[in-house]
């Protein structure tokens, strides 16, 4: 009887301490990819001692998102990236890497092992939804201009009928004294505040976003701050077989706003960006086009900054070489003379693209595109030319199963004279890239 009593008592304790666990519901989702890439030239110099070289390697990443559903309307969400590295390649030297990767809350070295990007709480209340913690920050409107990156935020969302209202606060940088920052400075934080209203009905979506930025991290050393607002109207529509989307971004304020009493001239800021994209889908065949613009800085106006703040964003990857984030992150910039380079995200450019695709089966999608880009402003008065050049891309994507897909693609860039920089006598060469990528989603 004693043994039976002990067993019953143990079972009772297990049941008592497990009551809250039984109420917890876990939901997992994520993505794993493994890819191989060959880039013919990591710089486009020709007939110099530093031409090339080419590069070829495999790389991968695992991304896992977990939702801890505590009760109805209450949830904790986490997301981490793991083993984000090139196969067999040297790892990052941790002591030399002190800043976070552009799309992560961890450094590049941490992502090569494991780095948590999101940890935030969601509470669905009768008066709206509240979010608090590290979560996705950056997306506004359409994919153009977006750089999805973790941010420490508080967000409120309220939806009624076709209208959604959002209010957001993001702590971009904290300059106050902490145990790991004993030399902290008061009022040297980077903060941003935002609100947007979105109207959504059957085949249409329209919205207006407004953000205010106060970046004061430079105040302790330069005695100035960056303060500006960003206004973004955007729209999406489907008219018959045609899907349309457009976005316009207008940033206005001070690039350098010096504190009172400092005998230095302020620098005004006025940046513009936007795009129009259209795709006509006829089932087996589809075709579309894109026009995008990001203003560049005029070197002749030292008291104004017309470019450099707004970009095309790393979420928008129009080509395999030009302004492709994966190519930039894994293989680096493609460089020319005088620091002329092909990087990501897009900046200082007019961009035009036409594309067409065919789906011979439900699982196979083949697409070809022709793109052309030109710089909005020459970086210096002595710059030779503002043409980035042309790029031709061909990709084929095959859906092996519902969760597994394979991509094979190639891009060829007809290098423009922009990459000559100020060296009119220099020569540049074309470049090309081949990629294959296996992606598992769950």
């Amino acid at each position: 009887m004693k043994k039976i009593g002990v067993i019953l008592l143990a079972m009772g304790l297990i049941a008592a301490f497990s009551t809250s666990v039984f109420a917890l519901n876990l939901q997992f989702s994520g993505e794993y990819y493994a890819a191989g890439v060959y880039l013919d030239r990591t710089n486009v110099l020709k007939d110099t001692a530093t031409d090339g070289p080419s590069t070829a390697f495999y790389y991968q990443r695992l991304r896992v998102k977990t939702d801890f559903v505590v009760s109805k309307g209450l949830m904790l969400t986490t997301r981490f990236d793991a083993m984000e590295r090139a196969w067999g390649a040297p790892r990052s030297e941790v002591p030399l890497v002190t800043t976070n990767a552009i799309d992560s809350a961890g450094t590049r070295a941490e992502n090569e092992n494991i780095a948590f990007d999101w940890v935030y709480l969601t509470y669905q209340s009768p008066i709206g939804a509240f979010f608090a913690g590290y979560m996705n920050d950056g997306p506004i409107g359409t994919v153009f201009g977006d750089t999805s990156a973790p941010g420490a935020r508080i967000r409120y969302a309220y939806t009624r009928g076709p209208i959604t209202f959002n209010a957001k606060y993001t702590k971009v940088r904290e300059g106050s004294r902490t145990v790991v920052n004993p030399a902290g400075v008061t009022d040297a934080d980077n903060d941003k505040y935002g609100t947007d209203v979105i109207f959504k009905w059957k085949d249409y979506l329209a919205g207006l976003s407004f953000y205010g930025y106060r970046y004061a991290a430079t105040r302790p050393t330069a005695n100035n701050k960056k303060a500006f607002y960003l206004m973004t109207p955007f729209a999406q529509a489907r008219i018959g077989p045609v899907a349309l989307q457009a976005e316009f971004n207008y940033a206005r304020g001070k690039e350098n706003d010096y504190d009172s009493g400092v005998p230095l001239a302020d620098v005004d800021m006025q940046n513009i960006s936007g795009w129009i994209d259209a795709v006509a889908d006829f089932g087996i065949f589809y075709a579309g086009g894109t026009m995008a613009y990001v203003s560049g800085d005029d070197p002749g106006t030292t008291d104004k900054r017309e470019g450099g703040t707004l970009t095309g964003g790393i979420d928008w990857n129009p080509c395999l070489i030009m302004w492709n984030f994966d190519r930039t992150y894994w293989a680096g910039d493609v460089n020319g003379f005088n620091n002329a380079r092909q990087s990501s995200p897009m900046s200082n450019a007019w961009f035009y693209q036409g594309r067409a695709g065919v789906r011979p089966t439900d699982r196979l999608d083949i697409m070809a595109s022709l793109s052309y880009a030109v710089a909005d402003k020459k970086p210096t008065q002595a710059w030779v030319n503002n043409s980035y050049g042309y790029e031709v891309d061909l990709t084929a994507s095959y859906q092996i199963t519902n969760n597994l897909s394979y991509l094979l693609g190639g891009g060829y860039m007809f290098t423009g004279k922009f990459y000559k920089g100020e060296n009119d006598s220099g020569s540049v060469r074309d470049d090309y890239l081949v990629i294959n990528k296996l992606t598992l989603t769950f």
Side-chain angles (χ1 to χ4, degrees), residues 191-195 210-215 228-230:
D191 300 290
K192 80 177 176 180
Y193 310 81
T195 182
F210 188 89
Y211 272 81
Y213 294 76
R214 185 183 184 275
Y215 283 16
F228 65 99
Y229 67 84
L230 171 62

Side-chain angles (χ1 to χ4, degrees), residues 131-264:
F131 308 81
Y134 269 84
M135 66 191 78
N136 195 16
D137 181 29
I140 302 172
T142 67
V143 68
F144 177 81
D146 289 351
T147 294
S148 293
R153 326 178 73 196
I154 298 172
R155 175 174 164 245
Y156 168 75
Y158 180 76
T159 300
R160 187 175 182 87
I163 302 175
T164 297
F165 169 79
N166 291 289
K168 313 163 191 176
Y169 164 72
T170 304
K171 172 63 70 174
V172 181
R173 180 188 183 276
E174 177 60 66
S176 298
R177 185 189 186 281
T178 64
V179 69
V180 295
N181 183 33
V185 178
T186 303
D187 196 23
D189 302 341
N190 290 352
D191 300 290
K192 80 177 176 180
Y193 310 81
T195 182
D196 53 56
V197 179
I198 302 172
F199 300 84
K200 186 176 182 180
W201 58 107
K202 188 177 179 181
D203 293 320
Y204 304 92
L205 180 148
L208 177 64
S209 176
F210 188 89
Y211 272 81
Y213 294 76
R214 185 183 184 275
Y215 283 16
T218 54
R219 289 186 69 249
T221 55
N223 205 25
N224 64 30
K225 62 182 179 293
K226 184 175 182 177
F228 65 99
Y229 67 84
L230 171 62
M231 184 174 63
T232 304
F234 54 91
Q236 296 176 334
R238 178 171 289 278
I239 305 172
V242 180
L244 299 166
Q245 51 184 332
E247 179 175 313
F248 177 77
N249 299 286
Y250 179 74
R252 182 69 182 266
K254 295 286 188 179
E255 180 72 25
N256 293 328
D257 185 13
Y258 285 89
D259 292 342
S260 59
V262 178
L264 293 173

